[in-house]
Amino acid sequence: MARPRFRLIINPVASGVNQRTVAAAIGGLSEQCTVELIATEYHGHAVKLAAEAVESGFDAVAVLAGDGTANEVLNGAGTAIPVGALPAGGTSVLPRALGLPRDVRASASRIGDALVHGRERTINLGNVNGRRFSFAAGVGVDADAVRRVDAAGRANGRRPGDMYFAAQIMRTLVSNRYREPMLEVTLPDGTRFEGVSVLAANTHPWSYIGPIALKLAPEASFESGLDVVVPKSMHRRLLARYASQLLVTGGHTRRDDRYLRYAHDIEWIDVRCHMPLPLHVDGDDLGDVTEAHFQIERNAARVLV
């Protein structure tokens, strides 16, 4: 019986990609599968490489990179073939949310075994302005922080990790930019309200700081609709409260709050910005927008677990 074939897509500038981790990924996958290695050459290239894997008859795609490149692979593969996400980014939210170990060789071995034995999971994906996301997207504060992290990566050659991202969120929050409402949100029931940012989650956790899972949307899951958090103000007197609720307790999900709105398991949300604001998906900067339409795409991807 022929061995299943993987296309292994790597991002050579991802923070966790080096000779050792590439060898570990190939070694784990090769235990039961045939592997073709290919590297991305530019932003967005992984979408094309994943689509080509489908056309070329590969049985699955594995991605050794950060969450942004994994996002591209999911967009390129669709539901045609399953995807295995290996932890090689600064945070690697997707493989961790899927329950994979942080060790590349162990994850690769499990993914290869999952392909051989048909262990896969069909998950929902979010979509904003036509771009799919696996775990998180946002307009405003978090996208601004993503942009700061990208700028540091361009300067230093490799994108910093989750601790630096957390620091940039705090730096953004203490600035004066997001104190007053900057956008209007419309929910499926017709409710409209203003806020300073929109943070959308497709699963829990939204992200990590080191080993700590952030509780922005603790009720979200890959099998439900979107969970959305909309802070109505970013005055400094509220920041400690937000930090406690969104990062530690998850208490904002259990009560109405005049300073922060939480919507669980919704099909879509429309956002109109009062001025151009940054947008990101899975930590990938999509530039500034004045409008954003978030929606859930059901059964939109197959992942190896």
Side-chain angles (χ1 to χ4, degrees):
M1 182 177 177
R3 288 159 62 92
R5 291 198 305 148
F6 264 105
R7 167 168 277 190
L8 172 60
I9 299 173
I10 69 167
N11 180 352
V13 300
S15 58
V17 174
N18 51 51
Q19 288 185 340
R20 180 186 62 81
T21 55
V22 171
I26 293 173
L29 294 172
S30 296
E31 291 173 3
Q32 302 185 67
C33 306
T34 300
V35 183
E36 178 205 78
L37 176 67
I38 192 164
T40 60
E41 299 176 359
Y42 51 85
H43 183 262
H45 193 196
V47 178
K48 180 180 179 181
L49 295 178
E52 287 177 350
V54 174
E55 295 171 0
S56 299
F58 283 88
D59 297 294
V61 177
V63 53
L64 181 71
D67 288 309
T69 306
N71 174 285
E72 293 179 12
V73 169
L74 288 171
N75 275 270
T79 57
I81 56 177
V83 172
L86 300 173
T91 308
S92 296
V93 176
L94 179 59
R96 293 167 77 177
L98 291 171
L100 290 167
R102 300 215 63 185
D103 179 77
V104 172
R105 175 70 185 243
S107 287
S109 179
R110 290 194 188 186
I111 285 170
D113 188 69
L115 179 61
V116 169
H117 293 96
R119 290 197 313 273
E120 62 178 64
R121 180 177 174 185
T122 300
I123 63 173
N124 299 339
L125 296 178
N127 183 307
V128 56
N129 291 0
R131 177 70 177 268
R132 292 172 166 178
F133 59 92
S134 62
F135 61 90
V139 177
V141 169
D142 59 334
D144 217 328
V146 164
R147 187 165 294 175
R148 293 173 185 265
V149 172
D150 282 346
R154 286 192 295 271
N156 301 321
R158 285 181 181 261
R159 201 169 188 257
D162 49 355
M163 295 300 291
Y164 187 85
F165 176 70
Q168 297 317 300
I169 287 184
M170 291 306 301
R171 182 180 175 185
T172 303
L173 289 177
V174 298
S175 70
N176 292 326
R177 185 178 187 191
Y178 294 98
R179 286 198 174 189
E180 301 301 331
M182 302 183 73
L183 48 81
E184 182 184 69
V185 170
T186 303
L187 297 179
D189 64 4
T191 301
R192 292 185 179 183
F193 55 92
E194 290 195 323
V196 294
S197 293
V198 172
L199 301 96
N202 187 48
T203 193
H204 172 70
W206 174 74
S207 189
Y208 294 85
I209 297 178
I212 302 171
L214 305 185
K215 296 182 179 179
L216 181 105
E219 299 176 4
S221 76
F222 285 124
E223 285 72 38
S224 65
L226 295 176
D227 280 28
V228 178
V229 174
V230 183
K232 296 181 179 180
S233 172
M234 285 293 183
H235 282 282
R236 293 188 183 185
R237 62 185 171 82
L238 298 172
L239 297 186
R241 179 179 185 171
Y242 286 161
S244 173
Q245 290 177 331
L246 304 181
L247 307 183
V248 182
T249 69
H252 59 290
T253 67
R254 297 187 292 272
R255 67 180 183 209
D256 292 331
D257 192 319
R258 63 182 176 135
Y259 299 115
L260 184 145
R261 187 68 177 264
Y262 181 78
H264 170 59
D265 192 16
I266 60 174
E267 292 296 315
W268 60 266
I269 181 173
D270 276 331
V271 180
R272 292 183 180 274
C273 306
H274 301 331
M275 63 190 71
L277 293 175
L279 168 69
H280 87 96
V281 294
D282 289 345
D284 192 9
D285 185 357
L286 298 188
D288 288 352
V289 298
T290 55
E291 295 183 357
H293 177 72
F294 294 80
Q295 66 184 64
I296 197 71
E297 288 192 26
R298 303 215 174 251
N299 302 319
R302 298 159 58 196
V303 291
L304 294 166
V305 294

